[in-house]
């Protein structure tokens, strides 16, 4: 189990180009293939990882590893996720220093940007679907109200609008996270 955690998170760290949120498609895949955690647990992992200090991808690997195999699992998943970065950055730093003016290198980075954007967007849409659609009641016969989590949809739109407003754009993300947790507590009763 521990070796599998290391290998799977090594692959995630190797191919999740674009930062922590780019790990989400890989985590959904791990959920599907191994059943280590559900999509609902993954949503909780994201919430906890976003609201704790550190890189979200590392936080999610630690959380997923701990949920799967305790403290040894957390260590192996985290080390698996960061190992490729350490190896690749050391190699790339050496190469880029020698060839930083190369049009080939600049072209490669130009091509990686849209790939990163697509991975993050796909994860965002997947997360949004699982957060806003009540898949447990959907059987084709339910009303639209039963299928769509109306409160979550309204709150997501309102929070997005508030975050984009010029009066609130300067606020640290932790303010929105705390606000969201308080609203969640109030609406859970």
């Amino acid at each position: 189990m521990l070796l599998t955690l290391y290998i799977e998170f090594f692959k995630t760290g190797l191919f999740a180009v674009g930062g922590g949120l780019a790990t989400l498609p890989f985590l959904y895949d791990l959920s599907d293939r191994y059943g280590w955690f559900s999509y609902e647990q993954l949503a909780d992992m994201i919430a906890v990882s976003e609201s704790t200090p550190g890189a979200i991808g590392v936080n999610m690997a630690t959380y997923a590893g701990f949920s799967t195999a305790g403290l040894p699992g957390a260590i192996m998943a985290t080390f698996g996720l960061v190992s490729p970065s350490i190896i690749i950055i050391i190699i790339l730093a050496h190469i880029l220093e020698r060839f930083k003016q190369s049009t080939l290198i600049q072209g490669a980075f130009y091509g990686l940007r849209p790939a990163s954007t697509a991975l993050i967007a796909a994860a965002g849409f997947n997360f949004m679907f699982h957060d806003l659609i009540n898949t447990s009641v959907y059987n084709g016969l339910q009303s639209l109200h039963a299928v769509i989590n109306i409160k979550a949809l309204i709150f997501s739109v309102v929070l997005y609008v508030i975050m984009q407003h010029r009066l609130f754009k300067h606020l640290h993300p932790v303010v929105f996270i705390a606000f969201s947790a308080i609203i969640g507590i109030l609406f859970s009763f």
Side-chain angles (χ1 to χ4, degrees), residues 82-96 109:
V82 300
S83 294
S85 296
I86 293 168
I87 295 166
I88 291 170
I89 291 299
I90 290 170
I91 293 169
L92 281 179
H94 179 71
I95 292 171
L96 288 176
F109 279 110

Side-chain angles (χ1 to χ4, degrees), residues 38-121:
S38 67
Y39 283 7
E40 289 77 24
Q41 289 171 312
L42 185 55
D44 292 340
M45 287 181 205
I46 293 167
V48 169
S49 297
E50 282 280 1
S51 60
T52 54
I56 183 174
V58 173
N59 291 350
M60 289 191 331
T62 305
Y63 193 120
F66 188 84
S67 296
T68 304
L71 184 59
I75 292 168
M76 292 302 282
T78 303
F79 187 62
L81 186 79
V82 300
S83 294
S85 296
I86 293 168
I87 295 166
I88 291 170
I89 291 299
I90 290 170
I91 293 169
L92 281 179
H94 179 71
I95 292 171
L96 288 176
E97 189 59 36
R98 294 180 64 201
F99 300 104
K100 61 184 167 190
Q101 300 303 321
S102 165
T103 55
L104 185 65
I105 298 293
Q106 291 174 0
F109 279 110
Y110 181 78
L112 286 173
R113 287 185 201 112
S116 298
T117 302
L119 283 170
I120 293 168

Side-chain angles (χ1 to χ4, degrees), residues 90-160:
I90 290 170
I91 293 169
L92 281 179
H94 179 71
I95 292 171
L96 288 176
E97 189 59 36
R98 294 180 64 201
F99 300 104
K100 61 184 167 190
Q101 300 303 321
S102 165
T103 55
L104 185 65
I105 298 293
Q106 291 174 0
F109 279 110
Y110 181 78
L112 286 173
R113 287 185 201 112
S116 298
T117 302
L119 283 170
I120 293 168
F125 283 119
N126 199 0
F127 183 67
M128 182 178 69
F129 174 77
H130 288 286
D131 190 41
L132 300 181
I133 305 296
N134 191 353
T135 56
S136 64
V137 300
Y138 182 71
N139 65 10
L141 303 173
Q142 300 291 329
S143 70
L144 188 60
H145 185 270
V147 174
I148 296 176
N149 184 340
I150 300 294
K151 285 194 269 187
L153 178 63
I154 292 169
F155 183 62
S156 296
V157 170
V158 168
L159 188 60
Y160 176 79

Side-chain angles (χ1 to χ4, degrees), residues 4 7 11 15 26 33 59 79 97 110 122 137 162 179:
T4 303
I7 291 168
K11 291 190 292 188
F15 296 111
F26 297 93
R33 284 191 297 126
N59 291 350
F79 187 62
E97 189 59 36
Y110 181 78
V137 300
I162 290 171
F179 175 71

